[in-house]
């Protein structure tokens, strides 16, 4: 029996692809094992920042030494990095036998079985940004039996000036809504209680359809109606495409979690224009107010980049003030990372690393204080969580998320996984809450 391992880097869509590939290989009789014992290791890679690519290359290099001695493990390079530099990397490592872009993952299982016999390299690159050779497998062998991701669209048409996604994942292509709903029902029948709908820009779902009209709000509502599903989430939204009907569906449906990831990327209007985001600071704040009015209990998270080319100190401070004004629950911050092929990579006015790192530290300190105060306000409240794993401290504690996407740690066992628990919040830090069970 052939043995495989999967190593995943980056976003939730990569987790979904990894879960589908795992399911497909197990359906063919392959056995999942550790990297040390695997005949094949599948790297599902990320290109969002240079550091993610370097980490993958380093890991492949470690396995290359063993491959040259024993002929195992063979490496399969998938995902965004594979599309961007996979052919180049494959020339450096003899262990890399299959390279496939994100839109050709459907060809990988057959290719894997061929290279096990021939050891010849095979390449499946996304040469057409609208071409798609998908893997039509429901990820029933996911890493978590109680929660699952479900990709509803591929690619993106926004072309933000810093972003590599349209170049490595192609143009927007929404999946057939009926297929999505069939897959969601299969997941629930397999024991999944929480589903997260995924897209580079979920709000754009259906806007590429020509023969039918089907909005993301309609899909959100239809998915929430599936019997047995307890919670429904979605990520990631784009402020330019976040339509009012999404809020209408959310406020009338208790299954849909009160958590929205709404990347702002900068708090300064000029920088937002340079980023090609399609909205101003004021536009964003109006949308935030509309969301908070419709969903008073909503948890807002965001993504923010510091040190974008030409960003002045005053413009950086606009991002700091935006955090103070909105008071996001979570902010995913990053120093700008040059992505070759994007417009921002060739812009005059690149910010030096020292300045970028200082700004990153400063804005993280601001959010640390905001998150700490926000979480402390939950102490004494009663909340409902859906436990799905052990807490980092050990098997005496488990963790789950509230509908507002806050992590709560409580005493418990694996028998609690996948079941809703009512807890009273007794402690807080900037990253999580602590609670005690209420029977």
């Amino acid at each position: 029996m052939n043995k495989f391992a999967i190593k995943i880097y980056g976003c939730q869509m990569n987790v979904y692809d990894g879960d589908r590939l795992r399911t497909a290989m197990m359906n063919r009789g392959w056995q999942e094992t550790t990297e040390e014992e695997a005949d094949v290791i599948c790297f599902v890679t990320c290109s969002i920042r240079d550091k993610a690519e370097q980490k993958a290359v380093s890991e492949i290099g470690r396995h290359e030494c063993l491959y040259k001695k024993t002929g195992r493990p063979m490496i399969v390079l998938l995902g965004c990095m594979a599309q961007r530099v996979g052919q180049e990397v494959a020339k450096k490592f003899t262990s890399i036998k299959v390279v496939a872009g994100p839109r050709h993952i459907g060809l990988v299982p057959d290719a894997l079985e061929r290279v096990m016999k021939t050891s010849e390299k095979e390449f499946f690159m996304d040469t057409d940004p609208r071409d798609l050779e998908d893997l039509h497998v429901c990820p029933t062998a996911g890493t978590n039996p109680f929660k699952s991701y479900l990709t509803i669209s591929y690619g993106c048409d926004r072309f933000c000036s810093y972003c590599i996604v349209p170049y490595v994942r192609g143009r927007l292509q929404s999946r057939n809504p009926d297929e999505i709903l069939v897959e969601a029902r299969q997941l629930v029948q397999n024991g999944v209680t929480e589903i997260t709908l995924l897209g580079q820009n979920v709000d754009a779902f259906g806007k590429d359809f020509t023969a039918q009209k089907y909005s993301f709000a309609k899909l959100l509502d239809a998915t929430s109606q599936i019997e047995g599903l307890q919670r429904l989430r979605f990520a990631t939204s784009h402020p330019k495409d976040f339509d009012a009907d999404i809020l209408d569906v959310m406020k009338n449906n208790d299954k849909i979690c009160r958590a929205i990831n709404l990347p702002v990327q900068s708090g300064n209007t000029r920088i937002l224009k340079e980023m090609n985001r399609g909205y101003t600071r004021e536009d964003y704040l109006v949308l935030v107010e509309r969301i908070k009015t419709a969903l008073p209990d909503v948890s807002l998270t965001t993504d923010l980049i510091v040190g974008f080319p030409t960003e002045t100190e005053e413009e950086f401070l606009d991002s700091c003030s935006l955090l103070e004004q909105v008071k996001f629950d979570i902010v995913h911050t990053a120093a700008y990372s040059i992505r070759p092929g994007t417009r921002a990579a060739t812009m005059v006015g690149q910010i030096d690393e020292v300045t970028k790192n200082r700004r990153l530290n400063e804005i993280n300190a601001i959010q640390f204080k905001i998150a700490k105060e926000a979480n402390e306000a939950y102490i004494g409240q009663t909340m409902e969580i859906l436990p799905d794993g052990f807490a980092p401290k050990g098997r005496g504690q488990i963790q789950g998320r509230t509908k507002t996407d806050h992590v709560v740690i409580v005493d418990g066992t694996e028998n609690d996984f996948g079941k809703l628990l009512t807890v009273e919040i007794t402690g807080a830090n900037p990253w999580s809450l602590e609670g005690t069970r209420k029977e």
Side-chain angles (χ1 to χ4, degrees):
M1 182 181 293
N2 292 325
K3 297 180 180 180
F4 74 99
I6 296 180
K7 195 167 183 70
I8 296 171
Y9 300 84
C11 71
Q12 297 164 329
M13 296 182 81
N14 281 358
V15 176
Y16 173 74
D17 284 345
D19 284 348
R20 287 194 298 164
L21 184 59
R22 175 185 296 106
T23 304
M25 298 313 297
M26 292 175 72
N27 288 346
R28 289 169 177 247
W30 286 59
Q31 178 184 346
E32 186 173 18
T33 185
T34 63
E35 291 181 50
E36 290 70 27
E37 297 182 355
D39 299 309
V40 173
I41 304 176
C42 302
F43 283 75
V44 188
T45 60
C46 174
S47 273
I48 199 71
R49 285 186 284 275
D50 181 64
K51 190 175 292 185
E53 292 187 348
Q54 292 303 320
K55 188 174 181 181
V57 169
S58 177
E59 287 293 308
I60 293 170
R62 182 171 64 86
H63 293 295
E64 175 81 357
C65 297
L66 182 60
Y67 176 82
K68 287 182 176 180
K69 294 178 181 178
T70 67
R72 294 289 187 275
M74 295 182 182
I75 302 297
V76 178
L77 190 61
L78 309 171
C80 293
M81 176 186 165
Q83 176 63 23
R84 199 183 80 80
V85 294
Q87 292 173 304
E88 176 185 333
V89 174
K91 292 178 182 178
K92 298 179 180 179
F93 298 106
T94 55
S95 58
I96 296 179
K97 299 302 180 182
V98 179
V99 180
R103 301 174 81 99
H104 279 74
I105 190 174
L107 302 180
V108 171
D110 284 343
L112 260 173
E113 297 192 337
R114 286 195 300 271
V115 300
M116 287 297 293
K117 300 175 182 176
T118 67
S119 290
E120 298 293 327
K121 292 181 184 284
E122 297 198 23
F123 296 87
F124 306 102
M125 311 311 296
D126 304 344
T127 54
D128 184 338
R130 289 184 171 84
D131 190 21
L132 182 65
E133 294 284 352
D134 205 3
L135 186 59
H136 298 286
V137 176
C138 179
T140 52
T143 52
N144 191 313
F146 308 107
K147 57 191 293 187
S148 181
Y149 298 119
L150 203 173
T151 294
I152 64 172
S153 63
Y154 304 100
C156 182
D157 286 349
R158 280 290 165 199
F159 284 93
C160 299
S161 62
Y162 54 83
C163 186
I164 195 71
V165 166
Y167 305 99
V168 293
R169 285 193 175 270
R171 305 300 296 271
L172 173 67
Q173 187 168 347
S174 302
R175 291 180 63 189
N176 182 293
D178 292 333
E179 291 180 3
I180 295 170
L181 293 172
V182 167
E183 185 172 327
R185 292 188 189 99
Q186 284 183 277
L187 289 169
V188 172
Q189 289 169 6
N190 201 54
V192 168
T193 52
E194 178 181 296
I195 291 175
T196 301
L197 303 179
L198 297 179
Q200 298 298 147
N201 174 9
V202 289
D203 309 330
F205 176 83
K207 293 183 179 180
D208 58 321
F209 290 152
T210 55
Q212 62 174 323
K213 287 187 177 181
Y214 203 107
S215 67
F216 174 61
K218 184 175 180 179
L219 178 67
L220 195 63
D221 184 52
T223 309
S224 71
Q225 305 301 322
I226 294 174
E227 187 176 351
L229 180 66
Q230 297 188 48
R231 286 186 175 179
L232 181 62
R233 302 184 187 274
F234 59 91
T236 290
S237 292
H238 191 295
K240 186 69 174 176
D241 292 302
F242 195 94
D243 299 326
D245 56 353
I246 298 173
L247 291 177
D248 292 336
V249 170
M250 290 184 71
K251 67 184 180 182
N252 293 320
N253 195 313
D254 194 49
K255 280 188 183 179
I256 303 172
C257 294
R258 300 300 192 256
I260 298 173
N261 179 242
L262 194 69
V264 64
Q265 305 300 3
S266 174
N268 176 266
T269 294
R270 187 189 75 82
I271 293 296
L272 288 171
K273 184 176 181 180
E274 292 293 332
M275 289 178 166
N276 194 35
R277 290 294 287 173
Y279 54 85
T280 65
R281 174 191 175 105
E282 290 70 28
D283 294 334
Y284 186 88
L285 291 173
V286 167
L287 177 57
V288 166
E289 184 60 31
R290 182 154 54 88
I291 291 172
K292 289 186 173 182
T293 298
L295 304 170
D297 58 342
V298 73
S299 170
L300 276 178
T301 64
T302 198
D303 301 347
L304 191 144
I305 297 170
V306 300
F308 185 81
T310 75
E311 181 187 64
T312 67
E313 197 66 22
E314 291 73 21
E315 289 167 338
F316 162 68
L317 292 176
D318 282 343
S319 290
C320 297
S321 68
L322 185 80
L323 299 195
E324 297 279 10
Q325 184 171 351
V326 177
K327 298 192 181 302
F328 297 99
D329 291 80
I330 299 172
V331 179
H332 304 288
T333 58
Y336 169 72
S337 175
I338 292 177
R339 298 287 76 209
T342 63
R343 186 172 67 83
T346 59
M347 288 178 62
V348 175
Q350 299 289 328
I351 308 297
D352 64 271
E353 294 301 318
V354 172
T355 300
K356 286 194 288 189
N357 289 332
R358 174 183 59 78
R359 291 177 182 175
L360 184 62
N361 290 335
E362 288 180 12
I363 208 157
N364 282 343
I366 291 170
Q367 181 57 28
F368 181 94
K369 183 174 181 291
I370 292 171
K372 186 172 183 293
E373 292 175 353
N375 281 353
E376 287 174 346
Y378 287 107
I379 294 176
Q381 293 189 28
T382 297
M383 309 180 85
E384 190 176 64
I385 67 170
L386 187 64
D388 57 26
F390 291 105
K393 292 183 179 180
R395 289 186 171 262
Q397 292 185 312
I398 58 175
Q399 65 182 26
R401 291 181 181 269
T402 67
K403 282 192 173 181
T404 53
D405 210 29
H406 289 85
V407 174
V408 182
I409 297 171
V410 297
D411 292 336
T413 69
E414 59 187 306
N415 292 329
D416 298 309
F417 294 169
K419 303 172 184 176
L420 293 173
L421 295 181
T422 302
V423 300
E424 180 180 344
I425 306 304
T426 56
N429 61 53
W431 305 281
S432 63
L433 305 172
E434 296 176 1
T436 57
R437 303 160 69 123
K438 297 190 72 174
E439 301 300 335

